[in-house]
Amino acid sequence: MPSESETTPGPGPRSWDTRCCVVGGGPAGMMLGYLLARAGVEVTVLEKHADFFRDFRGDTIHPATTDVLAELGLLEEFLRLPHTEIPELRLGIDGQTFGLVDFRHLPTRCKFMAFMPQWDFLNFLAAQARQYPAFRLEMSTEATGLLRRGEQVIGVRARTAQGDVEIRADLTVACDGRFSVIREHADLPVREFAMPIDVLWFRVPRSQDAPPTLGYLGGGQIVLAIDRGDYWQCGTIIGKGTLTQVQAAGLAAFRDRVAHAAPFLAAGLAALTDWDQIKLLSVRSNRLRRWYQPGLLCIGDAAHAMSPAGAAGVNYAIADAVATANHLAVPLQRGTIAVADLQRLQRRREPAVRLAQALQRQQTRQLARLAQTSPPIQLMRLISHMPPVKRLLGRIVGLGFRREHIHSPRHTNHR
Protein backbone atom coordinates (compact mmCIF):
# COMPACT_ATOMS: atom_id res chain seq x y z
CA MET A 1 0.00 0.00 0.00
CA PRO A 2 1.32 3.51 -0.72
CA SER A 3 2.67 5.71 2.03
CA GLU A 4 0.41 8.31 3.63
CA SER A 5 0.28 10.42 0.49
CA GLU A 6 -2.86 12.51 0.45
CA THR A 7 -4.86 12.70 -2.76
CA THR A 8 -7.93 14.54 -3.94
CA PRO A 9 -9.68 12.45 -6.59
CA GLY A 10 -11.81 14.98 -8.43
CA PRO A 11 -14.74 16.51 -6.55
CA GLY A 12 -14.98 13.66 -4.02
CA PRO A 13 -13.70 13.63 -0.45
CA ARG A 14 -10.02 13.99 0.36
CA SER A 15 -8.26 10.69 0.93
CA TRP A 16 -4.98 9.23 2.05
CA ASP A 17 -3.43 5.80 2.55
CA THR A 18 -1.82 4.28 5.61
CA ARG A 19 -0.86 0.82 6.80
CA CYS A 20 -3.07 0.94 9.88
CA CYS A 21 -5.96 3.25 10.75
CA VAL A 22 -6.74 3.35 14.48
CA VAL A 23 -10.16 4.80 15.28
CA GLY A 24 -10.30 6.36 18.73
CA GLY A 25 -7.66 8.18 20.75
CA GLY A 26 -8.32 6.57 24.12
CA PRO A 27 -5.80 4.43 26.04
CA ALA A 28 -6.00 1.48 23.62
CA GLY A 29 -5.82 3.65 20.50
CA MET A 30 -2.98 5.90 21.65
CA MET A 31 -0.90 3.03 23.00
CA LEU A 32 -1.40 1.02 19.81
CA GLY A 33 -0.56 4.05 17.65
CA TYR A 34 2.62 4.62 19.63
CA LEU A 35 3.72 0.97 19.51
CA LEU A 36 3.09 0.60 15.77
CA ALA A 37 4.91 3.85 14.96
CA ARG A 38 7.76 2.72 17.21
CA ALA A 39 7.93 -0.44 15.08
CA GLY A 40 8.10 1.63 11.89
CA VAL A 41 4.50 0.89 10.80
CA GLU A 42 2.69 3.82 9.19
CA VAL A 43 -0.29 4.44 11.47
CA THR A 44 -3.00 7.09 11.59
CA VAL A 45 -4.99 7.62 14.80
CA LEU A 46 -8.36 9.36 14.47
CA GLU A 47 -9.80 11.19 17.48
CA LYS A 48 -13.18 12.83 17.09
CA HIS A 49 -12.61 15.52 19.73
CA ALA A 50 -10.32 18.53 19.44
CA ASP A 51 -8.42 17.52 22.61
CA PHE A 52 -8.33 14.78 25.23
CA PHE A 53 -9.85 16.91 27.98
CA ARG A 54 -12.98 15.06 29.00
CA ASP A 55 -13.92 14.40 32.58
CA PHE A 56 -15.32 11.23 34.10
CA ARG A 57 -12.95 8.86 32.31
CA GLY A 58 -10.85 6.11 33.85
CA ASP A 59 -7.95 7.66 35.77
CA THR A 60 -6.31 4.48 37.04
CA ILE A 61 -2.92 3.27 35.83
CA HIS A 62 -2.35 -0.22 37.20
CA PRO A 63 1.04 -1.74 38.14
CA ALA A 64 0.87 -3.97 35.04
CA THR A 65 0.60 -0.84 32.87
CA THR A 66 3.44 0.99 34.60
CA ASP A 67 5.57 -2.11 33.93
CA VAL A 68 4.73 -1.77 30.23
CA LEU A 69 5.86 1.86 30.38
CA ALA A 70 9.08 0.74 32.07
CA GLU A 71 9.72 -1.81 29.31
CA LEU A 72 9.36 1.03 26.82
CA GLY A 73 11.79 3.23 28.75
CA LEU A 74 9.04 5.75 29.55
CA LEU A 75 8.39 5.14 33.25
CA GLU A 76 10.60 7.84 34.75
CA GLU A 77 9.18 10.52 32.46
CA PHE A 78 5.64 9.28 33.13
CA LEU A 79 6.13 9.47 36.91
CA ARG A 80 7.24 13.09 36.62
CA LEU A 81 3.67 13.96 35.62
CA PRO A 82 1.32 14.94 38.48
CA HIS A 83 -0.25 11.79 39.90
CA THR A 84 -1.30 10.11 43.14
CA GLU A 85 0.23 6.81 44.24
CA ILE A 86 -2.03 4.36 46.07
CA PRO A 87 -0.16 1.35 47.50
CA GLU A 88 -3.29 -0.03 49.15
CA LEU A 89 -6.97 0.33 48.32
CA ARG A 90 -8.89 1.16 51.46
CA LEU A 91 -12.59 1.38 52.25
CA GLY A 92 -14.05 3.79 54.77
CA ILE A 93 -17.18 2.65 56.62
CA ASP A 94 -18.87 4.83 59.26
CA GLY A 95 -15.62 6.45 60.34
CA GLN A 96 -13.53 3.25 60.25
CA THR A 97 -10.99 2.48 57.54
CA PHE A 98 -10.14 -0.99 56.24
CA GLY A 99 -7.26 -1.92 53.94
CA LEU A 100 -8.51 -4.51 51.46
CA VAL A 101 -6.27 -4.59 48.36
CA ASP A 102 -2.49 -4.52 48.84
CA PHE A 103 -0.16 -3.74 45.90
CA ARG A 104 3.01 -3.43 48.00
CA HIS A 105 4.22 -6.98 47.39
CA LEU A 106 3.66 -7.23 43.63
CA PRO A 107 6.55 -8.37 41.42
CA THR A 108 6.43 -5.06 39.56
CA ARG A 109 8.51 -1.90 39.38
CA CYS A 110 5.70 0.24 40.79
CA LYS A 111 4.00 -1.34 43.77
CA PHE A 112 1.05 1.03 43.66
CA MET A 113 -1.87 2.09 41.53
CA ALA A 114 -1.36 5.53 40.01
CA PHE A 115 -4.23 7.97 39.67
CA MET A 116 -3.71 10.45 36.85
CA PRO A 117 -6.27 12.41 34.83
CA GLN A 118 -6.70 10.44 31.63
CA TRP A 119 -6.12 13.48 29.45
CA ASP A 120 -2.60 13.81 30.92
CA PHE A 121 -1.88 10.15 30.17
CA LEU A 122 -3.16 10.46 26.60
CA ASN A 123 -1.22 13.66 25.95
CA PHE A 124 1.88 11.88 27.27
CA LEU A 125 1.40 8.95 24.87
CA ALA A 126 0.72 11.31 21.96
CA ALA A 127 3.92 13.25 22.67
CA GLN A 128 5.95 10.03 22.71
CA ALA A 129 4.34 8.79 19.49
CA ARG A 130 5.04 12.04 17.63
CA GLN A 131 8.75 11.29 17.89
CA TYR A 132 8.27 8.70 15.15
CA PRO A 133 7.70 9.83 11.53
CA ALA A 134 5.35 6.87 10.94
CA PHE A 135 2.83 8.34 13.40
CA ARG A 136 -0.05 10.60 12.37
CA LEU A 137 -2.70 11.90 14.79
CA GLU A 138 -5.81 13.50 13.33
CA MET A 139 -7.83 15.36 15.98
CA SER A 140 -11.39 16.57 15.34
CA THR A 141 -11.77 13.67 12.92
CA GLU A 142 -14.83 11.50 13.49
CA ALA A 143 -15.12 8.13 11.81
CA THR A 144 -18.57 7.77 10.25
CA GLY A 145 -18.40 4.47 8.36
CA LEU A 146 -16.32 1.76 6.79
CA LEU A 147 -14.82 1.50 3.32
CA ARG A 148 -15.16 -1.95 1.80
CA ARG A 149 -14.06 -3.88 -1.21
CA GLY A 150 -16.38 -6.86 -1.23
CA GLU A 151 -16.08 -8.47 2.23
CA GLN A 152 -12.76 -6.76 2.94
CA VAL A 153 -12.64 -3.62 5.08
CA ILE A 154 -10.17 -1.27 3.39
CA GLY A 155 -10.48 1.80 5.63
CA VAL A 156 -12.93 4.34 7.02
CA ARG A 157 -14.89 7.41 6.09
CA ALA A 158 -14.50 10.32 8.47
CA ARG A 159 -15.82 13.82 9.03
CA THR A 160 -13.56 16.82 9.68
CA ALA A 161 -14.04 20.56 9.92
CA GLN A 162 -12.63 20.79 6.39
CA GLY A 163 -15.00 18.19 4.98
CA ASP A 164 -15.23 14.44 4.58
CA VAL A 165 -12.15 12.27 4.18
CA GLU A 166 -11.46 8.66 3.30
CA ILE A 167 -8.57 6.84 4.96
CA ARG A 168 -7.58 3.62 3.21
CA ALA A 169 -5.67 1.08 5.29
CA ASP A 170 -4.47 -2.50 5.28
CA LEU A 171 -5.96 -2.79 8.76
CA THR A 172 -8.55 -0.72 10.60
CA VAL A 173 -8.55 -1.07 14.39
CA ALA A 174 -11.64 0.07 16.31
CA CYS A 175 -10.64 1.60 19.65
CA ASP A 176 -13.64 3.94 19.83
CA GLY A 177 -15.10 2.74 23.09
CA ARG A 178 -18.19 1.00 24.35
CA PHE A 179 -20.44 2.91 21.94
CA SER A 180 -18.18 2.09 19.00
CA VAL A 181 -19.36 3.49 15.68
CA ILE A 182 -17.04 1.11 13.84
CA ARG A 183 -18.41 -1.92 15.66
CA GLU A 184 -21.93 -0.80 14.80
CA HIS A 185 -21.14 -0.41 11.11
CA ALA A 186 -19.38 -3.76 11.05
CA ASP A 187 -22.50 -5.39 12.56
CA LEU A 188 -20.38 -7.73 14.65
CA PRO A 189 -22.34 -10.02 17.02
CA VAL A 190 -22.23 -8.87 20.65
CA ARG A 191 -23.23 -10.46 23.93
CA GLU A 192 -24.65 -8.08 26.56
CA PHE A 193 -24.48 -8.72 30.31
CA ALA A 194 -27.10 -7.16 32.60
CA MET A 195 -25.66 -4.61 35.04
CA PRO A 196 -27.61 -3.65 38.21
CA ILE A 197 -25.96 -0.26 38.73
CA ASP A 198 -25.18 3.09 37.16
CA VAL A 199 -22.68 5.67 38.42
CA LEU A 200 -23.12 9.40 38.98
CA TRP A 201 -19.92 11.45 38.59
CA PHE A 202 -19.36 14.94 39.98
CA ARG A 203 -16.70 17.30 41.30
CA VAL A 204 -16.51 18.53 44.88
CA PRO A 205 -14.22 21.44 45.83
CA ARG A 206 -11.53 20.33 48.25
CA SER A 207 -12.08 21.94 51.66
CA GLN A 208 -10.10 19.55 53.86
CA ASP A 209 -7.70 16.64 53.68
CA ALA A 210 -8.76 13.03 53.97
CA PRO A 211 -6.91 9.73 54.40
CA PRO A 212 -5.80 8.06 51.14
CA THR A 213 -8.96 6.01 50.90
CA LEU A 214 -10.66 5.40 47.57
CA GLY A 215 -14.12 4.24 48.62
CA TYR A 216 -16.59 5.16 51.35
CA LEU A 217 -19.72 3.35 52.44
CA GLY A 218 -22.54 4.52 54.68
CA GLY A 219 -26.20 5.44 54.75
CA GLY A 220 -26.93 3.19 51.78
CA GLN A 221 -24.47 5.12 49.63
CA ILE A 222 -21.16 4.06 48.07
CA VAL A 223 -18.88 6.97 47.20
CA LEU A 224 -15.55 7.05 45.36
CA ALA A 225 -13.32 10.08 45.89
CA ILE A 226 -10.21 10.67 43.75
CA ASP A 227 -7.87 13.42 44.91
CA ARG A 228 -7.32 15.91 42.06
CA GLY A 229 -5.45 18.51 44.08
CA ASP A 230 -7.93 21.36 44.49
CA TYR A 231 -11.02 19.19 44.09
CA TRP A 232 -12.32 15.67 44.57
CA GLN A 233 -13.45 13.69 41.55
CA CYS A 234 -16.36 11.74 42.98
CA GLY A 235 -18.60 8.93 41.89
CA THR A 236 -21.56 7.34 43.60
CA ILE A 237 -23.50 4.21 42.75
CA ILE A 238 -27.23 4.14 42.04
CA GLY A 239 -29.53 1.39 40.87
CA LYS A 240 -29.66 0.85 37.12
CA GLY A 241 -32.18 3.21 35.57
CA THR A 242 -33.02 4.99 38.85
CA LEU A 243 -31.68 8.46 38.01
CA THR A 244 -35.20 9.88 37.72
CA GLN A 245 -36.06 8.71 41.24
CA VAL A 246 -32.79 10.08 42.63
CA GLN A 247 -33.48 13.45 41.02
CA ALA A 248 -37.08 13.45 42.25
CA ALA A 249 -35.84 13.13 45.85
CA GLY A 250 -33.94 16.37 45.36
CA LEU A 251 -30.35 17.59 45.41
CA ALA A 252 -30.42 18.18 49.15
CA ALA A 253 -31.20 14.52 49.80
CA PHE A 254 -28.49 13.48 47.36
CA ARG A 255 -25.91 15.69 49.09
CA ASP A 256 -26.95 14.34 52.49
CA ARG A 257 -26.50 10.71 51.43
CA VAL A 258 -23.06 11.40 49.94
CA ALA A 259 -21.99 13.31 53.08
CA HIS A 260 -23.19 10.44 55.28
CA ALA A 261 -20.85 8.04 53.48
CA ALA A 262 -17.94 10.51 53.16
CA PRO A 263 -18.28 13.23 55.84
CA PHE A 264 -15.12 15.07 54.71
CA LEU A 265 -16.97 16.02 51.51
CA ALA A 266 -19.84 17.73 53.36
CA ALA A 267 -18.63 21.34 53.08
CA GLY A 268 -17.70 21.02 49.41
CA LEU A 269 -21.00 19.38 48.48
CA ALA A 270 -22.71 22.76 48.90
CA ALA A 271 -21.21 23.63 45.50
CA LEU A 272 -23.57 21.10 43.86
CA THR A 273 -26.53 23.34 43.06
CA ASP A 274 -27.76 21.88 39.77
CA TRP A 275 -28.23 18.39 38.37
CA ASP A 276 -26.27 19.50 35.31
CA GLN A 277 -23.16 19.28 37.51
CA ILE A 278 -23.77 15.55 37.96
CA LYS A 279 -23.14 13.25 35.01
CA LEU A 280 -24.59 9.80 34.49
CA LEU A 281 -22.32 6.92 33.50
CA SER A 282 -24.59 4.16 32.24
CA VAL A 283 -22.72 1.02 33.27
CA ARG A 284 -22.46 -1.53 30.48
CA SER A 285 -20.71 -4.85 30.13
CA ASN A 286 -20.59 -6.71 26.85
CA ARG A 287 -18.27 -8.68 24.63
CA LEU A 288 -18.09 -9.27 20.91
CA ARG A 289 -18.43 -12.90 19.92
CA ARG A 290 -16.02 -12.19 17.07
CA TRP A 291 -13.60 -9.29 17.32
CA TYR A 292 -12.70 -9.05 13.64
CA GLN A 293 -13.62 -9.08 9.99
CA PRO A 294 -11.20 -9.17 7.06
CA GLY A 295 -9.26 -5.93 7.40
CA LEU A 296 -10.89 -4.96 10.72
CA LEU A 297 -10.11 -5.59 14.39
CA CYS A 298 -11.84 -4.35 17.56
CA ILE A 299 -9.95 -4.03 20.87
CA GLY A 300 -10.50 -2.36 24.24
CA ASP A 301 -14.04 -1.31 25.08
CA ALA A 302 -14.99 -1.61 21.41
CA ALA A 303 -14.48 -5.37 21.80
CA HIS A 304 -15.41 -5.80 25.46
CA ALA A 305 -17.01 -3.01 27.47
CA MET A 306 -15.98 -3.30 31.12
CA SER A 307 -17.85 -2.40 34.29
CA PRO A 308 -16.09 0.25 36.44
CA ALA A 309 -15.78 -2.37 39.22
CA GLY A 310 -12.08 -2.79 39.96
CA ALA A 311 -11.24 0.07 37.57
CA ALA A 312 -9.91 -2.54 35.16
CA GLY A 313 -10.97 -1.06 31.80
CA VAL A 314 -7.83 0.98 31.10
CA ASN A 315 -5.55 -1.89 32.15
CA TYR A 316 -7.19 -4.37 29.77
CA ALA A 317 -7.32 -1.81 26.95
CA ILE A 318 -3.58 -1.24 27.26
CA ALA A 319 -2.95 -5.01 27.37
CA ASP A 320 -5.02 -5.43 24.18
CA ALA A 321 -2.94 -2.75 22.46
CA VAL A 322 0.35 -4.35 23.52
CA ALA A 323 -0.78 -7.79 22.33
CA THR A 324 -2.01 -6.32 19.03
CA ALA A 325 1.35 -4.66 18.35
CA ASN A 326 3.21 -7.82 19.37
CA HIS A 327 1.19 -9.96 16.95
CA LEU A 328 0.54 -7.61 14.06
CA ALA A 329 3.45 -5.16 13.73
CA VAL A 330 5.53 -7.47 11.53
CA PRO A 331 2.61 -8.58 9.28
CA LEU A 332 1.69 -4.89 8.88
CA GLN A 333 5.26 -4.02 7.95
CA ARG A 334 5.12 -6.71 5.28
CA GLY A 335 1.61 -5.86 4.12
CA THR A 336 0.49 -9.44 4.77
CA ILE A 337 -2.29 -9.08 7.36
CA ALA A 338 -4.56 -12.14 7.19
CA VAL A 339 -7.75 -13.13 9.01
CA ALA A 340 -5.74 -15.84 10.79
CA ASP A 341 -3.61 -13.11 12.42
CA LEU A 342 -6.75 -11.47 13.82
CA GLN A 343 -8.12 -14.80 15.00
CA ARG A 344 -4.91 -15.48 16.94
CA LEU A 345 -5.13 -12.10 18.62
CA GLN A 346 -8.67 -12.78 19.83
CA ARG A 347 -7.70 -16.26 21.04
CA ARG A 348 -4.93 -14.75 23.11
CA ARG A 349 -6.89 -11.92 24.72
CA GLU A 350 -10.43 -13.27 25.05
CA PRO A 351 -9.84 -15.78 27.91
CA ALA A 352 -8.43 -13.04 30.15
CA VAL A 353 -11.31 -10.73 29.29
CA ARG A 354 -13.86 -13.46 30.03
CA LEU A 355 -12.35 -14.03 33.48
CA ALA A 356 -12.19 -10.30 34.23
CA GLN A 357 -15.79 -9.71 33.16
CA ALA A 358 -17.05 -12.68 35.19
CA LEU A 359 -15.28 -11.28 38.25
CA GLN A 360 -16.65 -7.82 37.54
CA ARG A 361 -20.20 -9.15 37.35
CA GLN A 362 -19.76 -10.60 40.83
CA GLN A 363 -18.25 -7.36 42.12
CA THR A 364 -21.03 -5.29 40.58
CA ARG A 365 -23.74 -7.45 42.16
CA GLN A 366 -21.98 -7.08 45.52
CA LEU A 367 -21.84 -3.29 45.10
CA ALA A 368 -25.57 -3.24 44.37
CA ARG A 369 -26.25 -5.28 47.53
CA LEU A 370 -23.97 -3.11 49.67
CA ALA A 371 -25.99 -0.06 48.69
CA GLN A 372 -29.14 -1.70 50.05
CA THR A 373 -27.91 -3.37 53.26
CA SER A 374 -26.00 -2.50 56.42
CA PRO A 375 -22.22 -2.24 55.88
CA PRO A 376 -20.47 -5.61 56.48
CA ILE A 377 -18.04 -4.21 59.01
CA GLN A 378 -17.08 -7.57 60.50
CA LEU A 379 -16.23 -9.00 57.07
CA MET A 380 -14.18 -5.93 56.17
CA ARG A 381 -12.33 -6.12 59.47
CA LEU A 382 -11.59 -9.80 58.87
CA ILE A 383 -10.17 -9.19 55.37
CA SER A 384 -8.12 -6.23 56.57
CA HIS A 385 -6.36 -8.54 59.04
CA MET A 386 -5.58 -11.25 56.43
CA PRO A 387 -2.44 -10.16 54.52
CA PRO A 388 -2.47 -13.16 52.12
CA VAL A 389 -6.01 -12.31 50.99
CA LYS A 390 -5.12 -8.64 50.53
CA ARG A 391 -2.05 -9.57 48.49
CA LEU A 392 -4.05 -11.96 46.33
CA LEU A 393 -6.60 -9.20 45.66
CA GLY A 394 -3.68 -6.91 44.85
CA ARG A 395 -2.45 -9.33 42.18
CA ILE A 396 -5.91 -9.71 40.64
CA VAL A 397 -6.59 -5.97 40.57
CA GLY A 398 -3.07 -4.73 39.86
CA LEU A 399 -1.94 -7.28 37.28
CA GLY A 400 -5.20 -8.58 35.86
CA PHE A 401 -5.31 -11.87 34.02
CA ARG A 402 -2.65 -12.62 31.41
CA ARG A 403 -0.17 -9.78 31.56
CA GLU A 404 1.25 -8.55 28.27
CA HIS A 405 4.88 -7.53 27.75
CA ILE A 406 6.53 -5.60 24.94
CA HIS A 407 7.70 -7.89 22.14
CA SER A 408 6.98 -5.68 19.14
CA PRO A 409 10.06 -4.51 17.23
CA ARG A 410 11.56 -1.07 17.66
CA HIS A 411 12.40 1.09 14.66
CA THR A 412 15.23 3.50 15.45
CA ASN A 413 14.08 6.31 13.17
CA HIS A 414 12.91 9.29 15.26
CA ARG A 415 11.86 12.71 14.10
Side-chain angles (χ1 to χ4, degrees), residues 235-303:
T236 188
I237 291 169
I238 64 172
K240 171 66 71 175
T242 64
L243 176 60
T244 301
Q245 294 95 300
V246 173
Q247 290 176 326
L251 262 175
F254 176 76
R255 291 193 297 261
D256 287 346
R257 288 197 302 274
V258 173
H260 191 286
F264 69 94
L265 295 175
L269 285 165
L272 292 181
T273 59
D274 193 292
W275 285 107
D276 287 341
Q277 297 169 272
I278 301 169
K279 308 300 181 184
L280 174 69
L281 169 64
S282 180
V283 174
R284 295 184 69 187
S285 178
N286 58 43
R287 185 173 63 247
L288 290 179
R289 299 181 187 276
R290 181 161 47 86
W291 298 14
Y292 58 87
Q293 289 178 349
L296 172 68
L297 174 67
C298 298
I299 64 172
D301 276 1

Side-chain angles (χ1 to χ4, degrees), residues 86-154:
I86 306 293
E88 185 180 32
L89 294 182
R90 304 173 69 84
L91 180 66
I93 304 178
D94 293 336
Q96 302 179 62
T97 302
F98 305 96
L100 303 177
V101 181
D102 190 351
F103 303 120
R104 293 172 294 186
H105 303 274
L106 292 178
T108 55
R109 294 162 180 82
C110 296
K111 301 179 189 302
F112 54 80
M113 182 182 286
F115 281 83
M116 176 184 293
Q118 192 175 109
W119 54 82
D120 286 342
F121 182 48
L122 297 178
N123 280 320
F124 172 77
L125 290 178
Q128 301 303 319
R130 288 190 181 100
Q131 299 178 39
Y132 296 97
F135 180 77
R136 179 171 183 168
L137 175 60
E138 293 289 328
M139 305 298 288
S140 302
T141 302
E142 182 176 5
T144 57
L146 293 170
L147 299 173
R148 292 184 181 272
R149 182 183 296 124
E151 296 299 314
Q152 179 84 17
V153 173
I154 60 170

Side-chain angles (χ1 to χ4, degrees), residues 313-350:
V314 172
N315 202 34
Y316 281 88
I318 294 292
D320 281 0
V322 172
T324 300
N326 287 345
H327 282 68
L328 302 184
V330 171
L332 279 167
Q333 286 173 335
R334 297 171 177 167
T336 58
I337 282 287
V339 168
D341 297 315
L342 310 182
Q343 290 172 332
R344 280 193 291 271
L345 190 282
Q346 180 176 347
R347 283 199 300 269
R348 177 171 182 83
R349 292 300 305 153
E350 187 174 22

